Every structure is written in C-alpha cells, then in structure tokens.
Amino acid sequence: TDKQTHMLNLIDTPGHVDFSHEVSRSLAACDGVVLLVDAHQGVQAQTVANFLLSFESGLSIIPVINKIDLPKANISETIQQMRSAFGYEEDEILKFPDRHKVKTFLELVVNGTLIFPDQYLGKILQLCENRRGIQQEMLYLDSSRVMLKYLLPLSEVVVDMFDQIKSLSSGYASFDYEDAGYKPAELVKLDILLNGHQVD
C-alpha cells in the first residue's frame, strides 16, 4: 500500500482540574486528541474528566502511555487502568518514551492582525508580548486607529486570546489570524520540586 504523510497540529493542554475551562476551549478547536497517561502516575481523576469531555465532543481519541523508560514506570498497571477506565485493549494503546529526549519541537504559528483605537495600544502590545508574539508591523490607519500584525503561537491564541483582546479594548478591537506554518519552539526543561525532591 502507498504510504501517506500526515501533518498534525497539536495543542498542549494542562491536565490539572483548575484548567478544565481551558481544556474545553481547546477541544472545540480539535478533530481528535492524544490521551496521554504517565506510566509512573497512572490514570488520574482529571485524565478521566478530559476523556469524557473528548468523548462527549465526538473527537477521535488516541490513547498513549508516556515516560515508559523511567525507572518508576509501571506499564502493565497503567495499561490495566486504561482498560478499566476507558475500555481500551492493550494493542490499541501507544507507548512513548520520555519527551525530554526529543531534541527539537516545532509549533504551529499564525499571522495575527489586530485593529483598534490607539488608546488601547499599550495594553494590546503587552498582551501580544506576553503571548510570545513577535511584532511584524504597526501602522496607523488614521488619526486614531492602529493596525498591529504579530506572529503568534497558535497555542497562545486558541485558549482565551479573543476574550482578553475584547476585555482590554472594551470590545473595540478586532482580531483575525491565518496559518503561518511552523517554527522551532523555544522550550526549557522545568524541574518541579516537592519538599526538595524532583517530581516526575
């Protein structure tokens, strides 16, 4: 059979219960999800909640066990948990090693265009910078209206950027964006310590 190449646009959503609203917003922009389960921690309550959100949204779900190469990984127990919680068979579950061994990450970026009264310029600039935006152009359309063009990571746009822009501009700003391809993501490894001990 002919091999086909596919391009996947991935949105990384937080797994903690406090971010359930952000997860729901992200799912609305997706056709499918990767249900990622840590081989050491196993299925958590929020894993089940995110599964149900995805299932109820009619999304394709790919079950994956992550960090299988860590010393404390318990793959067989995690598989059993996923079978019990979600009904997957072992041969349906993919297994990935620790993501920190991946050398380069690419993220989807968009060209965003904002038009708004100039009295909101400072706030809008700050928002775009906080969302890891790279300014491409700033132009005064007339004596009081500004057009800004920013290169932005799609993951920073889809969660709540529209709402933030409307809030900061009292509803007077417009925002539109289009696909701009991929660029290397500038990521750093973050170690989380709990009582002085690193958490996996």
Side-chain angles (χ1 to χ4, degrees), residues 173-185:
S174 65
F175 177 53
D176 192 19
Y177 64 88
E178 59 184 14
D179 182 12
Y182 292 82
K183 75 176 185 66

Side-chain angles (χ1 to χ4, degrees), residues 8-79:
L8 299 178
N9 301 326
L10 302 178
I11 302 172
D12 185 13
T13 59
H16 195 274
V17 65
D18 292 342
F19 295 95
S20 58
H21 179 67
E22 285 79 0
V23 172
S24 299
R25 296 277 305 253
S26 296
L27 291 179
C30 295
D31 297 314
V33 299
V34 176
L35 186 70
L36 204 61
V37 179
D38 190 306
H40 171 50
Q41 297 180 343
V43 173
Q44 305 288 303
Q46 193 58 28
T47 314
V48 177
N50 288 343
F51 171 83
L52 292 174
L53 280 173
S54 304
F55 185 80
E56 291 168 0
S57 299
L59 302 178
S60 299
I61 303 172
I62 302 172
V64 176
I65 299 177
N66 192 28
K67 301 185 179 180
I68 61 174
D69 54 345
L70 294 183
K72 297 180 181 179
N74 191 337
I75 300 171
S76 59
E77 176 65 24
T78 305
I79 290 173

Side-chain angles (χ1 to χ4, degrees), residues 66-180:
N66 192 28
K67 301 185 179 180
I68 61 174
D69 54 345
L70 294 183
K72 297 180 181 179
N74 191 337
I75 300 171
S76 59
E77 176 65 24
T78 305
I79 290 173
Q80 185 57 46
Q81 291 175 6
M82 294 179 75
R83 291 181 66 181
S84 300
F86 312 126
Y88 290 116
E89 296 299 327
E90 182 173 352
D91 60 359
E92 296 179 288
I93 302 171
L94 303 179
K95 300 165 192 71
F96 287 164
D98 185 1
R99 65 182 178 181
H100 294 126
K101 295 186 177 181
V102 179
K103 300 300 182 183
T104 303
F105 287 87
L106 297 177
E107 64 179 340
L108 186 64
V109 292
V110 296
N111 285 318
T113 302
L114 303 101
I115 298 176
F116 51 89
D118 61 357
Q119 68 192 80
Y120 304 110
L121 179 58
K123 293 179 179 180
I124 300 294
L125 283 171
Q126 187 64 54
L127 174 65
C128 292
E129 294 297 323
N130 290 344
R131 296 302 178 98
R132 299 188 290 130
I134 301 172
Q135 188 178 133
Q136 306 294 301
E137 183 181 359
M138 185 174 78
L139 176 69
Y140 270 83
L141 300 176
D142 54 35
S143 61
S144 62
R145 287 191 310 149
V146 179
M147 180 177 71
L148 275 182
K149 291 192 175 183
Y150 262 85
L151 186 68
L152 293 154
L154 179 61
S155 61
E156 297 283 356
V157 171
V158 296
V159 178
D160 66 348
M161 192 160 178
F162 278 99
D163 292 341
Q164 289 291 314
I165 290 169
K166 291 298 182 184
S167 175
L168 292 174
S169 68
S170 301
Y172 287 104
S174 65
F175 177 53
D176 192 19
Y177 64 88
E178 59 184 14
D179 182 12

